[in-house]
Amino acid sequence: MNWAILIGGLGAMYGFFLYVVAPDREFRQEMTRAEKVAVASGQTVTKIQKGSPVLIGHNKSYNQGPLRIKPGKNGKPVFEPFGDWKQVRNTGELVAEWTYTGVARETIERIYHPDGSLDVLSYTVPAMLNGESVRETRLVYFVIGQPADTLVVHHWFLKHGKEVKTSWSYDAQGKHPVPEGWKFQRF
């Protein structure tokens, strides 16, 4: 599975993950002159980043959260999102939120329905696969209208950033796999 395709597809569907994939270009575009001067002189800048509005369906939304900007090699700034970020519609509704875990740009994401109920939860955990240490990303889909009830879980097993296995189950631990020939249907 190509993460860019997955994230792009989910982003198109939900309008989130915008900073997880390739944020540096937008972060760089939104640096003030004072921030550029401070970073160029070797200082670290910490700020609350409010991204440019993006269009999701017929609504505009923006992403907001804490960001560290450090001097990097060759004079290029290094951007480190951290803590809790939110995507909010201009009308004030919460679309999604994610927490940076401190492992690279790994996050815990929560995506919400317009009524505010939880739709999807995504997180990564260490795992063992065929005796090897890997990272497992779990995308947990909840029953629409019943956010405490798991519908299905998509598991991705990654080693050095490359997928080595993918599977579906009815539980987060993968102990109850979906039947052979099962097709994901959500909407």
Side-chain angles (χ1 to χ4, degrees):
M1 162 93 16
N2 180 329
W3 276 104
I5 292 170
L6 164 71
I7 291 170
L10 289 172
M13 183 173 20
Y14 293 106
F16 71 111
F17 286 117
L18 298 175
Y19 287 123
V20 178
V21 179
D24 293 356
R25 182 177 45 148
E26 181 151 341
F27 288 156
R28 188 172 288 107
Q29 290 172 344
E30 295 180 0
M31 283 179 71
T32 66
R33 181 167 170 68
E35 291 166 348
K36 290 176 184 177
V37 169
V39 172
S41 69
Q43 298 177 41
T44 296
V45 174
T46 301
K47 69 179 199 172
I48 298 297
Q49 172 76 21
K50 183 174 179 181
S52 300
V54 293
L55 192 61
I56 303 174
H58 300 291
N59 298 306
K60 284 189 175 182
S61 70
Y62 61 89
N63 298 327
Q64 181 174 318
L67 177 68
R68 259 185 230 103
I69 309 169
K70 297 179 175 182
K73 296 177 182 174
N74 303 328
K76 290 186 176 184
V78 175
F79 302 96
E80 294 179 350
F82 65 96
D84 297 319
W85 282 68
K86 293 182 179 192
Q87 183 178 32
V88 180
R89 285 194 178 93
N90 285 350
T91 56
E93 299 154 333
L94 182 63
V95 176
E97 56 188 346
W98 56 100
T99 302
Y100 284 90
T101 63
V103 178
R105 285 201 175 163
E106 204 167 271
T107 60
I108 300 168
E109 288 101 8
R110 292 163 295 284
I111 306 159
Y112 300 96
H113 288 288
D115 69 1
S117 64
L118 186 60
D119 183 22
V120 180
L121 173 67
S122 173
Y123 60 97
T124 302
V125 295
M128 292 296 287
L129 183 65
N130 301 327
E132 292 188 72
S133 179
V134 296
R135 306 282 300 156
E136 177 189 356
T137 297
R138 298 173 181 164
L139 193 60
V140 182
Y141 292 87
F142 295 95
V143 173
I144 296 172
Q146 298 178 23
D149 191 8
T150 300
L151 175 67
V152 69
V153 181
H154 195 172
H155 306 264
W156 281 283
F157 296 90
L158 303 165
K159 181 136 181 117
H160 305 299
K162 296 190 186 217
E163 181 183 303
V164 292
K165 180 183 175 185
T166 185
S167 64
W168 291 86
S169 72
Y170 292 118
D171 65 320
Q173 293 75 31
K175 293 180 182 176
H176 303 284
V178 298
E180 194 169 320
W182 174 88
K183 301 279 186 216
F184 180 69
Q185 294 181 358
R186 183 71 194 279
F187 299 104

